[in-house]
Amino acid sequence: MSFSYLTHLECPKCHEEYSPDEVQQLCHCGSPLLVRYNLEEAKANFTKETLASRENSLWRYHEVLPVKNPGNVVTLGEGMTPFVQMEKLGQHIDVPNLFIKDEGIIPTGSFKTRGASVGISKAKEIGVKQLAMPTNGNAGAAWALYSARAGIKATIVMPVDAPTITRKEVAVSGGDLHLVNGLISDAGKIVGQLVKEQGIYDASTLKEPYRIEGKKTMGYEILEQMNWEVPDVILYPTGGGVGLIGIYKAILELRELGWIKDDKLPRLVAVQAEGCAPIVKAWEEGKTESEFWENSETSAFGINVPKALGDFLVLEGIYATNGCAIAVSENDITAAQKEIARFEGNFICPEGAATFAAARILREKDWIKADETVICLNTGAGIKYPETVDIENLPLLQPGEAIKN
Ligand SMILES: *Cc1c(COP(=O)(O)O)cnc(C)c1O
Ligand SMILES: [Zn+2]
């Protein structure tokens, strides 16, 4: 019985295989690498029943995670986030079986923590001492904090207008923080230069193979929380697309493990903002790769990614599940954010709100049917984005003064 049934890394493009016992970044063909396990062997010991008594974190699925030695696990107890029905909102938008998978309730306040926990644990296992990454904020925050916990030095480069709180999270962790007067793609070029010159571990999205493994646990959890009934639709706010790639990978692995029936896949929906929708454009044109989106802009900072390295994997997940890609407006995002707080008492991030806005539109188009089970991914806490809520001039009471209506 193994802690992990990890076997190797595989290129989804040219199928070259690599060892997971040393540092690997991209395949020599330029594609991200995927992590493979011996699921046949895992099946014998790793059963649904074994999960019942396990810790309430993503590490409950350690057999299908890439860390071989439990001593290398770097965790703050992340995972097994709430899975909650949104009854009132569901009635309002005529999707009665509407659920939220709520990643606002997790250390560092965004689901980036999943990728950081698994990615940093594996980095520690293969002896990484220093890493660098570009970020739109949340990933940098999570990776800097988990790096601190692991004793790894982290260099983080983020756009100057990324959410202030994420800058502070990096700063408080003691990470080496740099701001760039530009987009995440500009930050990426700066990191690329540093990595090339100094041979530091490149922790950019999909340039290290393990964060997908952390993010795929959202798929495992959704299925476990649904008692292994496959939902009809999962909507995901798509930037780099790692979460969507991960959820799709989880579904395929769960099939292979025999934990879910293999006659149904959830339709995966990539939700983007109108100001940055390269995946939507590619999907609408029936393409298998996206093009760089010029002058991208959206308040949903985590999904402001003009060109994703794993775009072909995202599109594959959409096509293979009969899903779709859809862009929503800034107004739709803000309106959805308010509506969710007012109907459901949950202050979610703009990226998460975009998925609810998309669910409403897809229901109106009848792409989602009224009897379908629909899951919206909220990828972070609304309280990380205080600037998204405007408060008008409030009256200031003096002590003892009465409230007049
Ligand atoms: C990074 C991020 C996303 C996009 O995640 P990907 O998996 O890279 O597409 C969505 N929402 C939030 C809050 C994020 O921080
Ligand atoms: Zn390759």
Side-chain angles (χ1 to χ4, degrees), residues 11 14 27 29:
C11 174
C14 74
C27 179
C29 80

Side-chain angles (χ1 to χ4, degrees), residues 25 56 64-65 76 99 140 179 181 214 222 265 319 341 353 374 393:
Q25 309 251 231
N56 238 1
V64 289
L65 292 173
L76 291 169
F99 293 81
L179 302 177
N181 192 10
I222 288 170
L265 286 169
Y319 291 128
V374 175
N393 288 333

Side-chain angles (χ1 to χ4, degrees), residues 250-321:
I251 303 280
L252 298 184
E253 288 176 0
L254 284 166
R255 272 185 165 188
E256 245 187 280
L257 287 167
W259 290 15
I260 56 175
K261 289 193 205 115
D262 56 9
D263 56 352
K264 179 179 167 190
L265 286 169
R267 299 184 332 264
L268 298 180
V269 179
V271 180
Q272 298 200 297
E274 282 177 357
C276 183
I279 300 287
V280 177
K281 181 164 183 283
W283 180 77
E284 282 172 349
E285 293 170 353
K287 299 206 170 120
T288 52
E289 274 180 36
S290 67
E291 285 162 35
F292 190 92
W293 189 275
E294 298 292 342
N295 305 318
S296 64
E297 205 181 353
T298 168
S299 66
F301 223 79
I303 55 174
N304 191 348
V305 180
K307 164 79 184 166
L309 195 55
D311 55 357
F312 69 101
L313 295 170
V314 176
L315 287 157
E316 184 192 318
I318 297 171
Y319 291 128
T321 61

Side-chain angles (χ1 to χ4, degrees), residues 110-112 138-139 205 215 236-244 301-303 305 349 351-352 379-380 385:
S110 94
F111 82 115
K112 290 293 196 304
N138 286 330
T205 304
K215 292 188 177 186
Y236 183 78
T238 304
V242 185
L244 193 145
F301 223 79
I303 55 174
V305 180
C349 67
E351 295 85 347
T379 39
Y385 303 71

Side-chain angles (χ1 to χ4, degrees), residues 134-135 157 180 183-193 202 204 207:
T135 174
V157 186
V180 56
L183 292 175
I184 188 170
S185 40
D186 300 300
K189 283 176 199 148
I190 292 169
V191 167
Q193 189 69 23
D202 191 343
S204 308
K207 288 192 184 166

Side-chain angles (χ1 to χ4, degrees), residues 158-181:
M158 69 168 75
V160 66
D161 51 357
T164 322
I165 183 67
T166 60
R167 196 187 296 176
K168 295 190 176 181
E169 288 175 280
V170 178
V172 78
S173 76
D176 174 30
L177 174 64
H178 301 267
L179 302 177
V180 56
N181 192 10

Side-chain angles (χ1 to χ4, degrees), residues 76 104 106-113 138 141-143 145-146 169 384:
L76 291 169
I106 199 165
T108 85
S110 94
F111 82 115
K112 290 293 196 304
T113 278
N138 286 330
W143 282 71
L145 286 158
Y146 280 76
E169 288 175 280
K384 288 194 87 172

